[in-house]
Amino acid sequence: MKILVCITHVPDTTSKIQFTANNTKFDTTGVQFIIGPYDDYALARAVELRDQTGGSLTALNVGEAETEPTLRKSLAIGADDAIRVNSFPKDSFFVATQIAHYAKEGGYDLILMGRESIDFNGGMVHGMVGELLGMPSFSPVMKLEVEGSTVKMAREIEGGKEHLEAQLPLIAGCQEPIAEWKIPNMRGIMSARTKPLKVVEPVSQETQAEATGFQLPPAKGAVKLVDKDNVAELVKMLKNEAKVL
């Protein structure tokens, strides 16, 4: 079985977010980048499936040269090889077009990715790739087992879970608890240095959407303390200031 895992290159969740150029560009100064947490779950499950089936596992990222350390980490975790599409990820459809093009060339049986990236949180790429390739796409997938050509999944829905089956090939947007994150060991880190990382040029695709500006959330207000015996004042504040009553 040939598996493709698509990973994003995103700021660490502890990073302090700032913008430049009149709030139109993300300021990367001093920011540490990581594999998207949801993509980490997809990668972990892909490694398990590859080990079970004896197939191959390729990691793919749409990004410029600075994303290569993130791709190398995916190789250290267990991917056999990696592809970097040499372009800034302009929008969701642009990214999906690149993934679909190289996935079609590679003839992959299973394409895994996170349910969404944690920078823009669009959650659209897996569905777009499915449409472009004519493959079924499922998200958010919490459990995934492969038995021959049949894939058994559990998907989170409002108020519960949905259990379903589908045939390969397919695409899944993953989330916890599909697998446990894998931390690269020293052997994996050393072997990642020599594993193939191929850089390919993007296929032509016009940008469908463009971010015109970013805005940080408002700063948190000061905490107001109310005496435990002053219930009337607490109710008044909840009603008139917090407006939750």
Side-chain angles (χ1 to χ4, degrees), residues 126 136-141 153 155 162 164-166 170-174:
H126 38 73
S137 175
F138 305 90
S139 182
V141 176
M153 293 168 283
R155 191 172 74 90
E162 177 184 47
L164 53 136
E165 292 185 6
L170 60 79
I171 300 160
C174 306

Side-chain angles (χ1 to χ4, degrees), residues 38-98:
Y38 292 118
D39 305 322
D40 246 336
Y41 287 115
L43 177 59
R45 186 64 186 128
V47 170
E48 294 171 350
L49 290 170
R50 187 276 316 278
D51 292 346
Q52 291 170 12
T53 63
S56 64
L57 169 56
T58 299
L60 182 146
N61 169 258
V62 180
E64 297 175 309
E66 61 269 19
T67 71
E68 289 197 6
T70 302
L71 269 175
R72 287 290 177 194
K73 183 178 178 183
S74 73
L75 293 171
I77 288 172
D80 299 309
D81 63 297
I83 298 171
R84 179 174 67 82
V85 181
N86 187 30
S87 176
F88 181 79
K90 301 172 184 177
D91 63 19
S92 295
F93 189 69
F94 177 84
V95 172
T97 300
Q98 308 310 315

Side-chain angles (χ1 to χ4, degrees), residues 102-165:
Y102 291 102
K104 185 176 182 180
E105 281 192 347
Y108 296 97
D109 302 297
L110 180 63
I111 302 174
L112 301 182
M113 60 187 77
R115 59 175 288 180
E116 62 185 10
S117 64
I118 63 164
D119 46 7
F120 291 99
N121 300 97
M124 297 183 287
V125 172
H126 38 73
M128 291 178 175
V129 175
E131 179 66 21
L132 291 168
L133 292 176
M135 290 184 187
S137 175
F138 305 90
S139 182
V141 176
M142 306 167 64
K143 183 179 180 181
L144 188 148
E145 301 288 345
V146 178
E147 298 178 4
S149 62
T150 300
V151 181
K152 296 183 178 181
M153 293 168 283
R155 191 172 74 90
E156 185 177 44
I157 59 174
E158 186 174 354
K161 295 180 182 178
E162 177 184 47
H163 296 271
L164 53 136
E165 292 185 6

